[in-house]
Every structure is written in structure tokens, then in C-alpha cells.
Amino acid sequence: MKTSFPKQDIRVLLLEGISRSAVETFRQAGYSQVELHPKALPEAELKARLAEAHIVGIRSRTQLTPALLEQARRLIAVGCFCIGTNQVDLAAARRLGVPVFNAPYSNTRSVAELVVAEAIMLLRGIPQKNVLCHRGGWTKSAEGSYEARGKVLGIVGYGHIGTQVGVLAESLGMRVLFHDIEAKLALGNARAAASLDDLLECADVVTLHVPDTPATRMMIGAEQLARMRQGALLINASRGTVVDIDALAAALLRGHLAGAAVDVFPIEPKGNDDRFASPLVGMDNVILTPHIGGSTLEAQENIGIEVASKLVRYSDNGSTLSAVNFPEVALPEHPHSRRLLHIHRNVPGMLSRINEVFSAGNVNIDAQFLQTDAEVGYVVIDVAADVVQAQALKDRMAAIPGTLRTRVLY
Ligand SMILES: NC(=O)c1ccc[n+]([C@@H]2O[C@H](COP(=O)([O-])OP(=O)(O)OC[C@H]3O[C@@H](n4cnc5c(N)ncnc54)[C@H](O)[C@@H]3O)[C@@H](O)[C@H]2O)c1
Ligand SMILES: O=C(O)CC[C@@H](O)C(=O)O
């Protein structure tokens, strides 16, 4: 399919060691300018590279702030090759007419498996036993070592990952209690806790699976840790902002908690060569992992294909289905017409001004699709026009006050 400018001129910038499956997906769709970086870029370099990129792919490290997005004038879409999208200012991207896509399920199972494995390891005191053996020690003892069977697992955030963790934990004979701000269908024998406090007071193991939102920031602080049972265990594979890490270190040091497994941190290194620091470093009863809950080869390969396919579909066809910050439009193919995309501020009279462009140009509209939210409108118009006419229509639409982005797909 011929696009408003040749696909070989569309620059795709993929950061943070995104799977090669993404590169393959772009190449198979005809995109040849795909650049893959193993790390996040320092801010100045990121700014320069974003100014040239049409499509950017990131994971959880790269922060796309309003200032960075505003100067990325060529940017048509952002792909978060992960579940979390808190690293992108979604409202700013929307205001600028840039849809953001992610992979909402592709690493769910990987996180769930790790969490259940960690619960078993912590209940058996394996982290400290492992360290001791490495140091030449030997304590063959059942002291502080428990089966998972019959223990209460408290899941905070009963969404995609939380429910998977619950299903796996029940298969081990654990009793599952969950807390969520939404009413949720309980799977298996899981039951909803009366409140977060209730869950914290009842659970032997607490595992966190909430997104990073203003309400979840520091939701587990000194007070919540104190509510947890003496000798309980905490697992955090959600976001580093959810737990007050100093309070957690203090609860572990005084022996109130018997152990923890932490995969996400308030400050994380930019890449594999950078240094990691945390108040939890050196605690033998704590499993520390470098934000790899979703990092299995299976998950990363699937994420690469899923997010790259969504970006290709938007770039080729205009479809915004499953965008996380944008009016969603599912579009059919348009083999016999030119397709014009118009993204605008949602102000009164916009649609009639767009339609005037077509009536003034005496061009017949084959199909029109419109979706709006409170701030942004997205109109897709298929017309029977040749390349020159379509370009002229696009230029006239671009001149309408309130226009954010226009494109033409031939
Ligand atoms: N460690 C990793 O590598 C890794 C991998 C994938 C996802 N994650 C993180 O895990 C998070 C959860 O992923 P998911 O796919 O299960 O998301 P999800 O959206 O399916 O589930 C999140 C759940 O949390 C609930 N929730 C939101 N705010 C809450 C609050 N204040 N109190 C209680 N519940 C609340 C939601 O209602 C929802 O049910 C992601 O947002 C991401 O930050 C981490
Ligand atoms: O791969 C990453 O960097 C993020 C993984 C995880 O936190 C997610 O949000 O999917």
C-alpha cells in the first residue's frame, strides 16, 4: 500500500532492547528504516532522536514527558512494548494527536509464574539458605520453613496478572483473598477481602498487582506494613512507586516481615551496565530481581509482534483499535479509495469545517468514520480522488484551526 510518503522514509526508533520480532514485523510490512537500541537513551540524545522519528517504541525506562513529546514534530505513534504505560504522559500525547499502544496481556503469565515461584521460595526461606550455602554455611533445619498449601495469599489488584496468580496459587492449595477498587468476578474459590486492611491483616503472603496511579503511589507504607501479620511476606512485581521502600526495609530489619521479593524499584538503572542501589541490598531474606517479571523470551517475542502490528496497522490503515489514550476507530481496508486522517481538538463545528473542504473540492466521500473523546476528535475519510487531489485535500484540512495531525494514506 502506498502511504503519504514512502514507507522506506518512515523512521522507526525502538529502544530498551525490544525483541527482534518487532523489527521483523515492521520489515515484513515494508518498513526498512527500523533502528534498534539495547538501552534507554540519555535525555539529550532521546530528544534529538525523537525529533526525527515517526514511530517510537519503548519499554518501562524511557520517560516520554510533555516537553519531549511536544518537540517530536514528526511523531505519529508511540508503542509501549510492555503492559505499563505510566512512563508516557498519555494526556499530552493525546493532546498532540499521538496514539499510544501497548501489549496488555503478552507478559501476564510470565509475571504470574515468577510471583508464585517467589511465594514458594520465600515460604521455605530459600533466599537466606541459598546465600548461606554459597558462603560455606549449612543449616539443615525446618525452622521458619512452610508449605504453600493452606496459606493465605492476598492479591492487591485483581486484574489480568492478579487473577492468573490466584489461579496458579489455588492449584497449589493456597487460599486466595483479593482486594481491588473495581467489583471483580472471583475465580475458583478466591474471595474478595472486606478492605485492603482486612487483606493485609489476614494474608501470609501479600502480592501487589496494581498499576502506577496517583491512588496506588505509596499505597503500601509503614502503616500498611505494620498491619501485615508478624512473619508475613511481601511480593512487589507491579511498580516501584507502590511501596515505600524505606519502610519496607525497616519492617524487614526489625523482623516484622520474614522476607520479600521485589522486582520493581522507585529508581531503576537505565540499562544493564548501570549501577543498582536500594536499601534492600544485602538483606539475605529478600529476593531482588532487575524488573524482569515480564522478561521471558516467549513474552518478549509476543510483545514485539503485538505492539509492532498495532503500530503498523495504525500507520498503514489508520486503525486506533486498543490505543490506550485515543478515540478508538476500527477501520476496514480501503483498496479503491484514498484515506485521509484528521486529528483535531474536539471543538464545536469541526466536522462541518472538514466536510466543507470536501464539498468545496467537489469530491465524493466513499466512507467516513468519526470517534471523539472530551478533548480529541479523530475523523477518517475515504475518497475517490487521485494522489494530487488527496494531497490538496489534506493540505486544506491541515489549515483548519484546531487541527493536530493530518495524514493521507493512498
Ligand atoms: N514486573 C514486571 O515486569 C511487570 C510486568 C507486567 C506488568 N507489570 C505491572 O503490573 C501492573 C498490573 O498489570 P495487569 O496486567 O494485571 O493490569 P490490570 O489493569 O489488568 O490490573 C490492575 C488491577 O488493579 C486494580 N486497581 C487499580 N487501582 C487500584 C487501587 N488503588 N487499589 C486496588 N486495586 C486497584 C484495577 O482495578 C485492576 O483490576 C501493570 O500496570 C504494570 O505496572 C509489571
Ligand atoms: O519490559 C519492561 O520494561 C516493563 C515490563 C513490565 O513492567 C510491564 O509493564 O509490562
Side-chain angles (χ1 to χ4, degrees):
M1 186 196 302
K2 199 166 173 284
T3 49
S4 52
F5 47 102
K7 275 189 196 185
Q8 60 267 27
D9 290 347
I10 293 187
R11 293 189 183 159
V12 182
L13 177 67
L14 301 178
L15 306 175
E16 301 185 59
I18 285 167
S19 167
R20 291 205 68 82
S21 65
V23 181
E24 281 314 305
T25 305
F26 278 112
R27 295 239 161 99
Q28 277 168 18
Y31 294 77
S32 51
Q33 286 208 56
V34 186
E35 203 182 311
L36 188 62
H37 283 259
K39 280 207 216 184
L41 297 177
E43 186 157 344
E45 194 181 344
L46 177 64
K47 191 173 169 189
R49 304 309 313 281
L50 273 179
E52 298 159 359
H54 300 97
I55 294 174
V56 66
I58 59 170
R59 290 173 62 182
S60 55
R61 277 299 314 157
T62 304
Q63 301 295 313
L64 293 183
T65 60
L68 275 173
L69 289 165
E70 268 155 29
Q71 59 88 51
R73 300 209 182 281
R74 299 198 165 117
L75 198 61
I76 59 170
V78 171
C80 294
F81 284 73
C82 54
I83 291 180
T85 52
N86 55 293
Q87 67 281 36
V88 182
D89 191 312
L90 296 177
R94 180 175 58 237
R95 278 196 305 276
L96 293 163
V98 176
V100 178
F101 299 92
N102 72 339
Y105 322 108
S106 291
N107 65 22
T108 304
R109 173 71 188 206
S110 303
V111 181
E113 286 186 8
L114 180 69
V115 166
V116 172
E118 287 176 337
I120 298 175
M121 291 293 152
L122 291 170
L123 281 163
R124 296 292 294 270
I126 298 299
Q128 43 284 49
K129 290 185 172 72
N130 172 56
V131 168
L132 202 75
C133 284
H134 278 289
R135 291 181 192 143
W138 187 260
T139 45
K140 183 174 163 57
S141 161
E143 200 58 41
S145 210
Y146 303 96
E147 289 185 347
R149 181 172 51 169
K151 300 299 172 299
V152 177
L153 177 68
I155 300 173
V156 182
Y158 197 58
H160 295 118
I161 298 175
T163 47
Q164 280 281 307
V165 169
V167 168
L168 293 177
E170 279 204 341
S171 73
L172 294 170
M174 295 189 86
R175 290 183 290 143
V176 174
L177 200 56
F178 65 85
H179 165 71
D180 201 291
I181 40 164
E182 306 281 346
K184 293 281 176 167
L185 172 70
L187 300 186
N189 294 317
R191 60 184 185 84
S195 62
L196 176 60
D197 286 351
D198 176 42
L199 178 145
L200 296 172
E201 285 160 15
C202 295
D204 299 296
V205 184
V206 173
T207 183
L208 308 174
H209 299 292
V210 289
D212 173 50
T213 69
T216 63
R217 273 173 217 146
M218 297 282 174
M219 86 188 279
I220 305 295
E223 192 193 321
Q224 289 70 29
L225 292 165
R227 282 189 186 278
M228 287 175 67
R229 299 174 72 160
Q230 173 65 41
L233 303 160
L234 180 73
I235 301 175
N236 184 17
S238 61
R239 280 292 178 262
T241 48
V242 175
V243 176
D244 179 341
I245 200 113
D246 294 315
L248 174 61
L252 287 159
L253 273 177
R254 66 171 190 279
H256 180 63
L257 295 192
V262 183
D263 185 47
V264 287
F265 302 87
I267 299 170
E268 295 180 3
K270 270 209 184 314
N272 285 349
D273 306 330
D274 297 341
R275 201 176 151 66
F276 166 68
S278 166
L280 303 176
V281 167
M283 293 188 181
D284 291 354
N285 54 347
V286 178
I287 301 174
L288 295 175
T289 47
H291 200 150
I292 43 72
S295 294
T296 59
L297 290 176
E298 292 93 334
Q300 293 307 313
E301 188 179 341
N302 289 337
I303 290 171
I305 295 167
E306 181 180 343
V307 182
S309 302
K310 288 178 181 178
L311 292 165
V312 164
R313 213 172 306 131
Y314 176 63
S315 178
D316 280 0
N317 175 274
S319 173
T320 50
L321 201 65
S322 89
V324 295
N325 67 333
F326 216 72
E328 287 189 65
V329 181
L331 297 165
E333 291 302 321
H334 55 109
H336 307 300
S337 46
R338 314 277 176 222
R339 176 163 285 173
L340 290 134
L341 314 183
H342 189 263
I343 303 168
H344 51 264
R345 284 205 297 277
N346 187 7
V347 290
M350 186 56 89
L351 200 56
S352 60
R353 280 196 285 278
I354 292 171
N355 285 334
E356 270 163 29
V357 167
F358 292 85
S359 49
N362 205 20
V363 179
N364 217 24
I365 293 178
D366 290 343
Q368 190 172 46
F369 309 86
L370 164 72
Q371 197 59 260
T372 56
D373 62 26
E375 279 185 305
V376 170
Y378 180 35
V379 178
V380 179
I381 300 160
D382 291 348
V383 287
D386 62 26
V387 175
V388 177
Q389 281 174 314
Q391 191 61 42
L393 289 164
K394 173 190 162 303
D395 292 344
R396 265 177 259 147
M397 286 203 303
I400 298 172
T403 298
L404 297 170
R405 294 275 201 274
T406 51
R407 289 178 65 216
V408 53
L409 313 176
Y410 294 105

